[in-house]
Coordinates of all heavy atoms in Angstrom, one line a residue:
T13 N 19.4 73.2 87.6 CA 19.0 72.8 88.9 C 17.5 73.1 89.2 O 17.0 72.6 90.2 CB 19.8 73.5 90.0 OG1 19.7 74.9 89.8 CG2 21.3 73.1 89.9
L14 N 16.9 73.8 88.3 CA 15.5 74.2 88.5 C 14.6 73.0 88.0 O 13.8 73.2 87.1 CB 15.1 75.5 87.8 CG 16.0 76.7 88.2 CD1 15.6 77.9 87.5 CD2 16.0 76.9 89.7
D15 N 14.6 71.9 88.7 CA 13.9 70.7 88.3 C 13.2 70.1 89.5 O 13.8 69.6 90.4 CB 14.9 69.7 87.7 CG 14.2 68.4 87.2 OD1 13.0 68.4 87.3 OD2 14.9 67.5 86.8
P16 N 11.8 70.3 89.5 CA 11.1 69.7 90.7 C 11.3 68.2 90.9 O 11.2 67.7 92.0 CB 9.6 70.0 90.3 CG 9.7 71.2 89.4 CD 11.0 71.0 88.6
A17 N 11.6 67.5 89.8 CA 11.9 66.1 90.0 C 13.1 65.7 90.8 O 13.2 64.6 91.4 CB 12.0 65.4 88.6
H18 N 14.0 66.7 91.0 CA 15.2 66.5 91.8 C 15.2 67.5 92.9 O 16.3 67.9 93.3 CB 16.4 66.6 90.9 CG 16.5 65.5 89.9 ND1 16.1 65.8 88.6 CD2 16.9 64.3 89.9 CE1 16.2 64.7 87.8 NE2 16.8 63.8 88.6
C19 N 14.1 67.8 93.4 CA 13.9 68.8 94.5 C 13.5 68.2 95.8 O 12.4 67.5 95.8 CB 12.9 69.9 94.0 SG 12.6 71.2 95.2
A20 N 14.3 68.2 96.8 CA 14.0 67.6 98.1 C 13.1 68.4 99.0 O 13.4 68.7 100.1 CB 15.3 67.2 98.8
N21 N 12.0 68.9 98.4 CA 11.0 69.7 99.2 C 10.2 68.7 100.0 O 9.7 67.7 99.5 CB 10.2 70.5 98.2 CG 9.2 71.4 98.9 OD1 8.3 70.9 99.5 ND2 9.3 72.7 98.7
P22 N 9.9 69.0 101.3 CA 9.2 68.1 102.1 C 7.7 67.9 101.8 O 7.1 67.0 102.3 CB 9.4 68.7 103.5 CG 9.6 70.1 103.3 CD 10.4 70.2 102.0
T23 N 7.2 68.8 100.9 CA 5.8 68.6 100.6 C 5.6 67.7 99.3 O 4.4 67.4 99.0 CB 5.1 69.9 100.4 OG1 5.5 70.5 99.1 CG2 5.3 70.9 101.5
F24 N 6.6 67.4 98.6 CA 6.5 66.7 97.4 C 6.3 65.2 97.6 O 6.7 64.6 98.6 CB 7.8 66.9 96.5 CG 7.9 68.2 95.9 CD1 7.1 69.3 96.3 CD2 8.9 68.5 95.0 CE1 7.3 70.6 95.8 CE2 9.1 69.7 94.4 CZ 8.3 70.8 94.9
I25 N 5.6 64.6 96.7 CA 5.4 63.1 96.7 C 6.5 62.5 95.9 O 6.5 62.7 94.7 CB 4.0 62.7 96.2 CG1 2.9 63.4 97.0 CG2 3.9 61.2 96.1 CD1 1.5 63.2 96.4
P26 N 7.5 61.8 96.5 CA 8.6 61.3 95.7 C 8.1 60.4 94.5 O 7.3 59.6 94.7 CB 9.3 60.4 96.7 CG 9.0 61.0 98.0 CD 7.6 61.5 97.9
G27 N 8.6 60.8 93.3 CA 8.3 60.0 92.2 C 6.9 60.3 91.5 O 6.6 59.8 90.5
D28 N 6.2 61.3 92.1 CA 4.9 61.6 91.6 C 4.6 63.1 91.7 O 4.2 63.6 92.8 CB 3.8 60.8 92.3 CG 2.4 61.1 91.8 OD1 2.3 61.9 90.8 OD2 1.4 60.6 92.3
L29 N 4.9 63.9 90.7 CA 4.7 65.3 90.7 C 3.5 65.7 90.0 O 3.3 66.8 89.5 CB 6.0 66.0 90.1 CG 7.3 65.8 90.9 CD1 8.4 66.6 90.2 CD2 7.1 66.3 92.3
T30 N 2.5 64.8 89.9 CA 1.3 65.1 89.2 C 0.2 65.5 90.2 O -0.9 66.0 89.8 CB 0.7 63.8 88.5 OG1 0.4 62.8 89.4 CG2 1.7 63.3 87.5
R31 N 0.5 65.4 91.5 CA -0.5 65.8 92.5 C 0.1 67.0 93.3 O 1.2 67.0 93.7 CB -0.7 64.6 93.4 CG -1.2 63.4 92.7 CD -1.2 62.1 93.6 NE -2.2 62.2 94.6 CZ -2.4 61.2 95.5 NH1 -1.6 60.2 95.5 NH2 -3.3 61.3 96.4
D32 N -0.8 68.0 93.5 CA -0.3 69.2 94.1 C -0.5 69.2 95.6 O -0.2 70.2 96.3 CB -0.9 70.4 93.5 CG -2.4 70.4 93.6 OD1 -3.0 69.5 94.2 OD2 -3.1 71.4 93.1
V33 N -1.1 68.2 96.2 CA -1.4 68.2 97.7 C -0.1 67.7 98.4 O 0.4 66.6 98.0 CB -2.6 67.3 98.0 CG1 -2.8 67.2 99.5 CG2 -3.8 67.8 97.3
P34 N 0.3 68.4 99.4 CA 1.5 67.9 100.1 C 1.4 66.5 100.6 O 0.3 66.1 101.0 CB 1.6 68.9 101.3 CG 0.9 70.1 100.8 CD -0.2 69.6 99.9
V35 N 2.5 65.8 100.6 CA 2.5 64.4 100.9 C 1.9 64.1 102.3 O 1.2 63.2 102.6 CB 3.9 63.7 100.8 CG1 4.9 64.4 101.7 CG2 3.8 62.3 101.0
Q36 N 2.2 65.0 103.3 CA 1.8 64.7 104.6 C 0.3 64.9 104.8 O -0.3 64.5 105.8 CB 2.5 65.7 105.6 CG 4.0 65.6 105.6 CD 4.6 66.7 104.7 OE1 4.0 67.0 103.7 NE2 5.7 67.3 105.1
A37 N -0.4 65.5 103.8 CA -1.8 65.8 103.9 C -2.7 64.8 103.2 O -3.9 64.8 103.3 CB -2.1 67.2 103.3
Q38 N -2.0 63.8 102.6 CA -2.8 62.8 101.9 C -3.6 61.9 102.9 O -3.1 61.4 103.9 CB -1.9 61.8 101.1 CG -1.2 62.5 100.0 CD -2.1 63.1 98.9 OE1 -3.2 62.5 98.7 NE2 -1.8 64.2 98.4
N39 N -4.9 61.8 102.6 CA -5.7 60.9 103.4 C -6.8 60.2 102.6 O -7.9 59.9 103.0 CB -6.4 61.6 104.6 CG -7.4 62.6 104.2 OD1 -7.6 62.9 103.0 ND2 -8.2 63.2 105.1
D40 N -6.5 60.0 101.3 CA -7.5 59.5 100.4 C -7.3 58.0 100.1 O -8.0 57.4 99.3 CB -7.5 60.3 99.1 CG -6.1 60.3 98.4 OD1 -5.2 59.7 99.0 OD2 -6.0 60.9 97.3
A41 N -6.3 57.4 100.8 CA -6.2 55.9 100.6 C -7.3 55.2 101.5 O -7.8 55.7 102.5 CB -4.8 55.5 101.1

């Protein structure tokens, strides 16, 4: 169960665990 790819953490970017910045903080688009 210790798998970040299947972890429903609200800071993760679904499908992309290569970036460490929380999803809500993204503003680089």
Side-chain angles (χ1 to χ4, degrees):
T13 57
L14 306 180
D15 182 1
H18 298 94
C19 181
N21 181 297
T23 72
F24 290 10
I25 300 173
D28 182 3
L29 295 182
T30 63
R31 303 167 71 182
D32 61 358
V33 178
V35 60
Q36 303 98 321
Q38 295 297 326
N39 67 351
D40 55 358

